[in-house]
PDB file of all heavy atoms in Angstrom:
ATOM      1  N   ASP B  84      64.741 -50.062 -27.853  1.00  0.00           N
ATOM      2  CA  ASP B  84      65.016 -48.908 -28.694  1.00  0.00           C
ATOM      3  C   ASP B  84      63.642 -48.471 -29.291  1.00  0.00           C
ATOM      4  O   ASP B  84      62.990 -49.190 -30.049  1.00  0.00           O
ATOM      5  CB  ASP B  84      65.996 -49.468 -29.821  1.00  0.00           C
ATOM      6  CG  ASP B  84      66.496 -48.225 -30.703  1.00  0.00           C
ATOM      7  OD1 ASP B  84      66.120 -47.091 -30.329  1.00  0.00           O
ATOM      8  OD2 ASP B  84      67.179 -48.521 -31.668  1.00  0.00           O
ATOM      9  N   TRP B  85      63.119 -47.325 -28.784  1.00  0.00           N
ATOM     10  CA  TRP B  85      61.726 -46.962 -29.073  1.00  0.00           C
ATOM     11  C   TRP B  85      61.680 -45.737 -29.998  1.00  0.00           C
ATOM     12  O   TRP B  85      62.326 -44.689 -29.795  1.00  0.00           O
ATOM     13  CB  TRP B  85      61.115 -46.542 -27.739  1.00  0.00           C
ATOM     14  CG  TRP B  85      59.641 -46.314 -27.742  1.00  0.00           C
ATOM     15  CD1 TRP B  85      58.903 -45.227 -28.333  1.00  0.00           C
ATOM     16  CD2 TRP B  85      58.588 -47.133 -27.166  1.00  0.00           C
ATOM     17  NE1 TRP B  85      57.619 -45.352 -28.118  1.00  0.00           N
ATOM     18  CE2 TRP B  85      57.377 -46.502 -27.390  1.00  0.00           C
ATOM     19  CE3 TRP B  85      58.669 -48.334 -26.456  1.00  0.00           C
ATOM     20  CZ2 TRP B  85      56.176 -47.032 -27.003  1.00  0.00           C
ATOM     21  CZ3 TRP B  85      57.427 -48.923 -26.028  1.00  0.00           C
ATOM     22  CH2 TRP B  85      56.248 -48.248 -26.289  1.00  0.00           C
ATOM     23  N   HIS B  86      60.945 -45.833 -31.099  1.00  0.00           N
ATOM     24  CA  HIS B  86      60.824 -44.758 -32.134  1.00  0.00           C
ATOM     25  C   HIS B  86      59.352 -44.329 -32.377  1.00  0.00           C
ATOM     26  O   HIS B  86      58.548 -45.184 -32.843  1.00  0.00           O
ATOM     27  CB  HIS B  86      61.404 -45.197 -33.438  1.00  0.00           C
ATOM     28  CG  HIS B  86      62.913 -45.508 -33.371  1.00  0.00           C
ATOM     29  ND1 HIS B  86      63.845 -44.583 -33.869  1.00  0.00           N
ATOM     30  CD2 HIS B  86      63.662 -46.531 -32.822  1.00  0.00           C
ATOM     31  CE1 HIS B  86      65.073 -45.062 -33.613  1.00  0.00           C
ATOM     32  NE2 HIS B  86      64.955 -46.272 -32.993  1.00  0.00           N
ATOM     33  N   VAL B  87      58.998 -43.178 -32.006  1.00  0.00           N
ATOM     34  CA  VAL B  87      57.681 -42.562 -32.347  1.00  0.00           C
ATOM     35  C   VAL B  87      57.823 -41.884 -33.619  1.00  0.00           C
ATOM     36  O   VAL B  87      58.481 -40.813 -33.703  1.00  0.00           O
ATOM     37  CB  VAL B  87      57.207 -41.644 -31.239  1.00  0.00           C
ATOM     38  CG1 VAL B  87      55.868 -41.020 -31.638  1.00  0.00           C
ATOM     39  CG2 VAL B  87      57.133 -42.313 -29.907  1.00  0.00           C
ATOM     40  N   MET B  88      57.265 -42.402 -34.709  1.00  0.00           N
ATOM     41  CA  MET B  88      57.485 -41.851 -36.030  1.00  0.00           C
ATOM     42  C   MET B  88      56.267 -41.521 -36.828  1.00  0.00           C
ATOM     43  O   MET B  88      56.389 -41.257 -38.055  1.00  0.00           O
ATOM     44  CB  MET B  88      58.378 -42.912 -36.837  1.00  0.00           C
ATOM     45  CG  MET B  88      59.697 -43.102 -36.129  1.00  0.00           C
ATOM     46  SD  MET B  88      60.965 -44.128 -37.151  1.00  0.00           S
ATOM     47  CE  MET B  88      61.369 -42.919 -38.315  1.00  0.00           C
ATOM     48  N   GLY B  89      55.124 -41.492 -36.235  1.00  0.00           N
ATOM     49  CA  GLY B  89      53.937 -41.086 -36.926  1.00  0.00           C
ATOM     50  C   GLY B  89      53.739 -39.579 -37.008  1.00  0.00           C
ATOM     51  O   GLY B  89      54.568 -38.786 -36.299  1.00  0.00           O
ATOM     52  N   GLU B  90      52.727 -39.143 -37.633  1.00  0.00           N
ATOM     53  CA  GLU B  90      52.407 -37.710 -37.704  1.00  0.00           C
ATOM     54  C   GLU B  90      51.090 -37.409 -36.951  1.00  0.00           C
ATOM     55  O   GLU B  90      50.533 -36.429 -37.076  1.00  0.00           O
ATOM     56  CB  GLU B  90      52.239 -37.371 -39.174  1.00  0.00           C
ATOM     57  CG  GLU B  90      53.555 -37.274 -39.894  1.00  0.00           C
ATOM     58  CD  GLU B  90      54.400 -36.058 -39.621  1.00  0.00           C
ATOM     59  OE1 GLU B  90      53.867 -35.091 -38.985  1.00  0.00           O
ATOM     60  OE2 GLU B  90      55.666 -36.014 -39.866  1.00  0.00           O
ATOM     61  N   GLY B  91      50.612 -38.463 -36.300  1.00  0.00           N
ATOM     62  CA  GLY B  91      49.303 -38.324 -35.629  1.00  0.00           C
ATOM     63  C   GLY B  91      48.176 -38.901 -36.472  1.00  0.00           C
ATOM     64  O   GLY B  91      48.397 -39.399 -37.557  1.00  0.00           O
ATOM     65  N   PHE B  92      46.929 -38.870 -35.977  1.00  0.00           N
ATOM     66  CA  PHE B  92      45.842 -39.400 -36.629  1.00  0.00           C
ATOM     67  C   PHE B  92      45.625 -38.728 -38.015  1.00  0.00           C
ATOM     68  O   PHE B  92      45.870 -37.460 -38.132  1.00  0.00           O
ATOM     69  CB  PHE B  92      44.562 -39.305 -35.803  1.00  0.00           C
ATOM     70  CG  PHE B  92      44.634 -40.079 -34.533  1.00  0.00           C
ATOM     71  CD1 PHE B  92      44.526 -39.453 -33.273  1.00  0.00           C
ATOM     72  CD2 PHE B  92      44.694 -41.452 -34.541  1.00  0.00           C
ATOM     73  CE1 PHE B  92      44.577 -40.158 -32.108  1.00  0.00           C
ATOM     74  CE2 PHE B  92      44.787 -42.190 -33.349  1.00  0.00           C
ATOM     75  CZ  PHE B  92      44.662 -41.519 -32.152  1.00  0.00           C
ATOM     76  N   THR B  93      45.146 -39.475 -38.982  1.00  0.00           N
ATOM     77  CA  THR B  93      44.945 -38.945 -40.385  1.00  0.00           C
ATOM     78  C   THR B  93      44.007 -37.754 -40.314  1.00  0.00           C
ATOM     79  O   THR B  93      44.143 -36.834 -41.116  1.00  0.00           O
ATOM     80  CB  THR B  93      44.395 -39.997 -41.258  1.00  0.00           C
ATOM     81  OG1 THR B  93      43.181 -40.653 -40.634  1.00  0.00           O
ATOM     82  CG2 THR B  93      45.419 -41.094 -41.485  1.00  0.00           C
ATOM     83  N   TRP B  94      43.015 -37.769 -39.408  1.00  0.00           N
ATOM     84  CA  TRP B  94      42.028 -36.682 -39.406  1.00  0.00           C
ATOM     85  C   TRP B  94      42.628 -35.479 -38.660  1.00  0.00           C
ATOM     86  O   TRP B  94      42.042 -34.371 -38.807  1.00  0.00           O
ATOM     87  CB  TRP B  94      40.731 -37.113 -38.768  1.00  0.00           C
ATOM     88  CG  TRP B  94      40.874 -37.663 -37.340  1.00  0.00           C
ATOM     89  CD1 TRP B  94      40.864 -37.012 -36.199  1.00  0.00           C
ATOM     90  CD2 TRP B  94      41.058 -39.071 -37.044  1.00  0.00           C
ATOM     91  NE1 TRP B  94      41.089 -37.860 -35.158  1.00  0.00           N
ATOM     92  CE2 TRP B  94      41.149 -39.133 -35.637  1.00  0.00           C
ATOM     93  CE3 TRP B  94      41.161 -40.201 -37.777  1.00  0.00           C
ATOM     94  CZ2 TRP B  94      41.349 -40.309 -35.005  1.00  0.00           C
ATOM     95  CZ3 TRP B  94      41.361 -41.431 -37.125  1.00  0.00           C
ATOM     96  CH2 TRP B  94      41.504 -41.469 -35.717  1.00  0.00           C
ATOM     97  N   GLU B  95      43.759 -35.600 -38.066  1.00  0.00           N
ATOM     98  CA  GLU B  95      44.429 -34.381 -37.490  1.00  0.00           C
ATOM     99  C   GLU B  95      45.378 -33.812 -38.519  1.00  0.00           C
ATOM    100  O   GLU B  95      45.469 -32.665 -38.666  1.00  0.00           O
ATOM    101  CB  GLU B  95      45.193 -34.836 -36.200  1.00  0.00           C
ATOM    102  CG  GLU B  95      44.266 -35.281 -35.131  1.00  0.00           C
ATOM    103  CD  GLU B  95      43.467 -34.074 -34.505  1.00  0.00           C
ATOM    104  OE1 GLU B  95      43.637 -32.957 -34.886  1.00  0.00           O
ATOM    105  OE2 GLU B  95      42.525 -34.418 -33.719  1.00  0.00           O
TER     106      GLU B  95
END
Side-chain angles (χ1 to χ4, degrees):
Chain B
D84 190 4
W85 189 289
H86 294 259
V87 179
M88 299 191 71
E90 290 285 342
F92 296 118
T93 53
W94 55 88
E95 295 292 350

